[in-house]
PDB file of all heavy atoms in Angstrom:
ATOM      1  N   THR A 111      98.776  58.437  60.165  1.00  0.00           N
ATOM      2  CA  THR A 111      98.372  57.933  58.861  1.00  0.00           C
ATOM      3  C   THR A 111      96.922  57.790  58.701  1.00  0.00           C
ATOM      4  O   THR A 111      96.167  58.484  58.039  1.00  0.00           O
ATOM      5  CB  THR A 111      99.154  56.547  58.424  1.00  0.00           C
ATOM      6  OG1 THR A 111      98.837  55.595  59.383  1.00  0.00           O
ATOM      7  CG2 THR A 111     100.562  56.801  58.264  1.00  0.00           C
ATOM      8  N   ARG A 134      88.489  40.074  58.267  1.00  0.00           N
ATOM      9  CA  ARG A 134      89.763  39.967  57.413  1.00  0.00           C
ATOM     10  C   ARG A 134      90.253  38.527  57.400  1.00  0.00           C
ATOM     11  O   ARG A 134      90.293  37.893  58.477  1.00  0.00           O
ATOM     12  CB  ARG A 134      90.806  40.869  58.012  1.00  0.00           C
ATOM     13  CG  ARG A 134      92.084  41.000  57.275  1.00  0.00           C
ATOM     14  CD  ARG A 134      93.027  41.953  58.022  1.00  0.00           C
ATOM     15  NE  ARG A 134      94.175  42.309  57.155  1.00  0.00           N
ATOM     16  CZ  ARG A 134      95.105  43.207  57.579  1.00  0.00           C
ATOM     17  NH1 ARG A 134      95.005  43.841  58.706  1.00  0.00           N
ATOM     18  NH2 ARG A 134      96.065  43.400  56.794  1.00  0.00           N
ATOM     19  N   HIS A 143     102.883  47.993  66.319  1.00  0.00           N
ATOM     20  CA  HIS A 143     103.306  49.391  66.662  1.00  0.00           C
ATOM     21  C   HIS A 143     104.112  49.293  67.958  1.00  0.00           C
ATOM     22  O   HIS A 143     103.638  48.619  68.914  1.00  0.00           O
ATOM     23  CB  HIS A 143     102.024  50.253  66.752  1.00  0.00           C
ATOM     24  CG  HIS A 143     101.345  50.337  65.440  1.00  0.00           C
ATOM     25  ND1 HIS A 143     100.560  49.218  64.942  1.00  0.00           N
ATOM     26  CD2 HIS A 143     101.226  51.374  64.599  1.00  0.00           C
ATOM     27  CE1 HIS A 143     100.072  49.625  63.807  1.00  0.00           C
ATOM     28  NE2 HIS A 143     100.329  50.906  63.512  1.00  0.00           N
ATOM     29  N   THR A 193     108.395  36.870  58.712  1.00  0.00           N
ATOM     30  CA  THR A 193     108.751  38.223  58.916  1.00  0.00           C
ATOM     31  C   THR A 193     107.719  38.957  59.795  1.00  0.00           C
ATOM     32  O   THR A 193     106.614  38.351  59.955  1.00  0.00           O
ATOM     33  CB  THR A 193     108.796  38.945  57.538  1.00  0.00           C
ATOM     34  OG1 THR A 193     107.564  38.706  56.768  1.00  0.00           O
ATOM     35  CG2 THR A 193     109.932  38.411  56.695  1.00  0.00           C
ATOM     36  N   PRO A 224      95.796  46.880  62.335  1.00  0.00           N
ATOM     37  CA  PRO A 224      95.589  47.239  60.990  1.00  0.00           C
ATOM     38  C   PRO A 224      94.727  48.495  60.940  1.00  0.00           C
ATOM     39  O   PRO A 224      94.288  49.010  62.033  1.00  0.00           O
ATOM     40  CB  PRO A 224      94.718  45.997  60.482  1.00  0.00           C
ATOM     41  CG  PRO A 224      93.968  45.586  61.703  1.00  0.00           C
ATOM     42  CD  PRO A 224      94.819  45.930  62.931  1.00  0.00           C
ATOM     43  N   SER A 225      94.430  49.036  59.760  1.00  0.00           N
ATOM     44  CA  SER A 225      93.543  50.129  59.678  1.00  0.00           C
ATOM     45  C   SER A 225      92.153  49.739  60.203  1.00  0.00           C
ATOM     46  O   SER A 225      91.719  48.546  60.126  1.00  0.00           O
ATOM     47  CB  SER A 225      93.312  50.638  58.232  1.00  0.00           C
ATOM     48  OG  SER A 225      93.131  49.495  57.375  1.00  0.00           O
ATOM     49  N   SER A 263     100.774  53.920  55.924  1.00  0.00           N
ATOM     50  CA  SER A 263     102.253  54.035  55.832  1.00  0.00           C
ATOM     51  C   SER A 263     102.943  53.383  54.667  1.00  0.00           C
ATOM     52  O   SER A 263     102.385  52.466  54.134  1.00  0.00           O
ATOM     53  CB  SER A 263     102.856  53.384  57.167  1.00  0.00           C
ATOM     54  OG  SER A 263     102.566  52.034  57.223  1.00  0.00           O
ATOM     55  N   ARG A 277     104.440  48.919  49.669  1.00  0.00           N
ATOM     56  CA  ARG A 277     103.256  49.767  49.643  1.00  0.00           C
ATOM     57  C   ARG A 277     103.748  51.203  49.483  1.00  0.00           C
ATOM     58  O   ARG A 277     104.418  51.674  50.588  1.00  0.00           O
ATOM     59  CB  ARG A 277     102.340  49.597  50.763  1.00  0.00           C
ATOM     60  CG  ARG A 277     101.071  50.416  50.788  1.00  0.00           C
ATOM     61  CD  ARG A 277     100.126  49.904  51.828  1.00  0.00           C
ATOM     62  NE  ARG A 277     100.517  50.446  53.129  1.00  0.00           N
ATOM     63  CZ  ARG A 277      99.848  50.159  54.296  1.00  0.00           C
ATOM     64  NH1 ARG A 277      98.711  49.413  54.231  1.00  0.00           N
ATOM     65  NH2 ARG A 277     100.316  50.502  55.473  1.00  0.00           N
ATOM     66  N   ARG A 304     100.766  38.732  50.886  1.00  0.00           N
ATOM     67  CA  ARG A 304     101.614  39.122  51.897  1.00  0.00           C
ATOM     68  C   ARG A 304     101.171  40.603  52.427  1.00  0.00           C
ATOM     69  O   ARG A 304     101.354  40.966  53.592  1.00  0.00           O
ATOM     70  CB  ARG A 304     103.020  39.249  51.346  1.00  0.00           C
ATOM     71  CG  ARG A 304     103.633  37.953  51.207  1.00  0.00           C
ATOM     72  CD  ARG A 304     104.822  38.064  50.198  1.00  0.00           C
ATOM     73  NE  ARG A 304     105.841  39.000  50.639  1.00  0.00           N
ATOM     74  CZ  ARG A 304     106.956  38.576  51.403  1.00  0.00           C
ATOM     75  NH1 ARG A 304     107.083  37.335  51.563  1.00  0.00           N
ATOM     76  NH2 ARG A 304     107.791  39.384  51.782  1.00  0.00           N
ATOM     77  N   VAL A 305     100.667  41.426  51.512  1.00  0.00           N
ATOM     78  CA  VAL A 305     100.183  42.744  51.833  1.00  0.00           C
ATOM     79  C   VAL A 305      98.818  42.880  51.411  1.00  0.00           C
ATOM     80  O   VAL A 305      98.513  43.011  50.246  1.00  0.00           O
ATOM     81  CB  VAL A 305     101.111  43.784  51.197  1.00  0.00           C
ATOM     82  CG1 VAL A 305     100.710  45.139  51.705  1.00  0.00           C
ATOM     83  CG2 VAL A 305     102.578  43.529  51.526  1.00  0.00           C
ATOM     84  N   SER A 306      97.839  42.912  52.424  1.00  0.00           N
ATOM     85  CA  SER A 306      96.419  42.956  51.903  1.00  0.00           C
ATOM     86  C   SER A 306      96.148  44.277  51.131  1.00  0.00           C
ATOM     87  O   SER A 306      95.315  44.236  50.335  1.00  0.00           O
ATOM     88  CB  SER A 306      95.499  42.839  53.127  1.00  0.00           C
ATOM     89  OG  SER A 306      95.737  43.768  54.094  1.00  0.00           O
ATOM     90  N   GLY A 307      96.889  45.273  51.571  1.00  0.00           N
ATOM     91  CA  GLY A 307      96.688  46.579  50.722  1.00  0.00           C
ATOM     92  C   GLY A 307      97.211  46.422  49.344  1.00  0.00           C
ATOM     93  O   GLY A 307      97.002  47.303  48.454  1.00  0.00           O
TER      94      GLY A 307
HETATM   95  O1  TXA B 264      99.543  53.362  58.235  1.00  0.00           O
HETATM   96  C1  TXA B 264      99.407  52.206  58.510  1.00  0.00           C
HETATM   97  O2  TXA B 264     100.267  51.353  58.147  1.00  0.00           O
HETATM   98  C2  TXA B 264      98.200  51.789  59.341  1.00  0.00           C
HETATM   99  C3  TXA B 264      98.351  52.307  60.723  1.00  0.00           C
HETATM  100  C4  TXA B 264      97.185  51.894  61.581  1.00  0.00           C
HETATM  101  O3  TXA B 264      99.542  51.986  61.261  1.00  0.00           O
HETATM  102  N1  TXA B 264      98.105  50.396  59.334  1.00  0.00           N
HETATM  103  C5  TXA B 264      97.716  49.642  58.232  1.00  0.00           C
HETATM  104  O4  TXA B 264      97.560  48.302  58.552  1.00  0.00           O
HETATM  105  O5  TXA B 264      97.540  50.145  57.211  1.00  0.00           O
HETATM  106  P1  TXA B 264      96.836  47.305  57.546  1.00  0.00           P
HETATM  107  O6  TXA B 264      96.861  46.020  58.181  1.00  0.00           O
HETATM  108  O7  TXA B 264      95.559  47.864  56.965  1.00  0.00           O
HETATM  109  O8  TXA B 264      97.996  47.236  56.418  1.00  0.00           O
HETATM  110  C6  TXA B 264      99.203  46.773  56.789  1.00  0.00           C
HETATM  111  C7  TXA B 264      99.818  46.137  55.659  1.00  0.00           C
HETATM  112  C8  TXA B 264      99.030  44.921  55.209  1.00  0.00           C
HETATM  113  O9  TXA B 264      98.855  45.086  53.865  1.00  0.00           O
HETATM  114  C9  TXA B 264      99.884  43.738  55.557  1.00  0.00           C
HETATM  115  O10 TXA B 264      99.717  42.679  54.678  1.00  0.00           O
HETATM  116  C10 TXA B 264     101.270  44.379  55.548  1.00  0.00           C
HETATM  117  O11 TXA B 264     101.088  45.588  56.089  1.00  0.00           O
HETATM  118  N2  TXA B 264     102.244  43.553  56.347  1.00  0.00           N
HETATM  119  C11 TXA B 264     102.247  43.444  57.669  1.00  0.00           C
HETATM  120  N3  TXA B 264     103.118  42.561  58.104  1.00  0.00           N
HETATM  121  C12 TXA B 264     103.733  42.120  56.984  1.00  0.00           C
HETATM  122  C13 TXA B 264     104.850  41.231  56.722  1.00  0.00           C
HETATM  123  N4  TXA B 264     105.332  40.579  57.623  1.00  0.00           N
HETATM  124  N5  TXA B 264     105.165  41.006  55.343  1.00  0.00           N
HETATM  125  C14 TXA B 264     104.550  41.720  54.365  1.00  0.00           C
HETATM  126  N6  TXA B 264     103.558  42.594  54.594  1.00  0.00           N
HETATM  127  C15 TXA B 264     103.147  42.800  55.862  1.00  0.00           C
END
Side-chain angles (χ1 to χ4, degrees):
T111 57
R134 183 181 192 172
H143 298 71
T193 53
S225 52
S263 60
R277 181 171 72 183
R304 291 159 62 94
V305 185
S306 59

